[in-house]
Every structure is written in C-alpha cells, then in structure tokens.
Amino acid sequence: MRTKVKLVNGEEAAIRAVQAFPTEGHSLDEIYVLAHDGDKVNELSRLTDANTIGVMEEGVATAFANLFRSRGDQLRAKMESLGISALDAQRYEEELDKGRIMVLVWYDEETGTLDRADAAAPRRPRPEEIVLPPVGGAVMSERR
C-alpha cells in the first residue's frame, strides 16, 4: 500500500487537489481529506465526493480508541492507519494545527487500486443520495 499526501491552504486548494488526483490515474475511492475541523472535512467530502477516514480504514480498535483521544492524537492515528509513519504523522499533524488541509491518496502500488475487500464494490451512497419511502406509506413485499 502506498500513500501520496498534499497539504494545502484553504478549501479551494483542497478541492483542486482532490480534482488533480484522478488526472494522475487515481479513483475517488482512493482519495481522502483530513483536517482539524471535522465540519470542514465533512463539507469537503460532500463537495468533492472524496472519502473521510473511518472505521473501514482505521479498524474497529483504532476507531474505538479515538473516542478517548485528543483531536491531534485522533488525526495521527488516522494517518497511520493509511500507511503514514508515526514520525511523518506527527509532522503532518503540526501542519494541520496551522489550519492546513490534507488531501491524500491511499492505493495499492502493484495493482494500481485500493487493496480492500470493498474496493470493487460500488461507492457507498452519501446521505443525500439515500431514498426513503414516504412517511406513512405502506411497504409492500413481493410474494412468489
């Protein structure tokens, strides 16, 4: 597994960085955004369709441990879960402390794709893409 990192200043630069990675041959499934401000990360993810680092990437143990960590410790653990060394994660987190945004790609160098079980699966729907039946509507099942 390999990780490419771009540190940028501001949301517009982050959007340009996310858009640049596909021109290098990376799919959106491989692109992640990370910053100290969780709301900023979620908004950038929504705008660009980039990923946020979650349980699938971190693993259940790290995700659970992050519930009890400071934001800086959480960010370093997230970076390390995507193949960034502890020393580099410390250095990058110091840049995030200054308000910078990290846009990174996590991919399999040999196959050119993300090496996860769900890499071939369709991208998970965003909350605004999920269609729910109307409230009070009857749900009918098909019987054969």
Side-chain angles (χ1 to χ4, degrees):
M1 298 302 281
R2 197 123 156 100
T3 307
K4 288 183 186 178
V5 175
K6 292 182 183 182
L7 287 171
V8 298
N9 293 312
E11 291 85 355
E12 288 181 26
I15 291 169
R16 285 192 303 274
V18 168
Q19 292 170 342
F21 276 128
T23 64
E24 297 174 18
H26 298 287
S27 74
L28 283 174
D29 287 336
E30 300 170 336
I31 303 171
Y32 294 82
V33 291
L34 191 62
H36 260 287
D37 183 344
D39 291 336
K40 185 183 295 185
V41 169
N42 291 333
E43 182 65 12
L44 284 168
S45 175
R46 188 186 66 74
L47 288 172
T48 63
D49 209 24
N51 296 298
T52 58
I53 302 169
V55 176
M56 290 295 295
E57 295 80 14
E58 294 178 285
V60 174
T62 300
F64 181 74
N66 277 345
L67 295 173
F68 305 100
R69 293 179 172 150
S70 70
R71 181 66 177 156
D73 290 343
Q74 290 174 13
L75 293 171
R76 286 188 297 277
K78 287 175 182 287
M79 288 183 236
E80 290 176 34
S81 71
L82 295 186
I84 296 174
S85 72
L87 183 61
D88 285 339
Q90 175 66 37
R91 185 173 52 91
Y92 288 138
E93 197 271 324
E94 289 171 4
E95 292 298 314
L96 297 181
D97 280 341
K98 299 173 187 173
R100 298 188 81 186
I101 300 168
M102 177 184 281
V103 179
L104 61 97
V105 173
W106 185 44
Y107 66 102
D108 185 331
E109 193 172 31
E110 292 178 20
T111 65
T113 61
L114 189 61
D115 188 24
R116 290 195 326 219
D118 64 340
R123 189 162 173 75
R124 67 186 177 276
R126 300 285 183 183
E128 60 270 14
E129 296 173 350
I130 298 172
V131 179
L132 298 174
V135 176
V139 177
M140 302 184 66
S141 62
E142 185 177 312
R143 294 184 185 198
R144 293 185 178 203

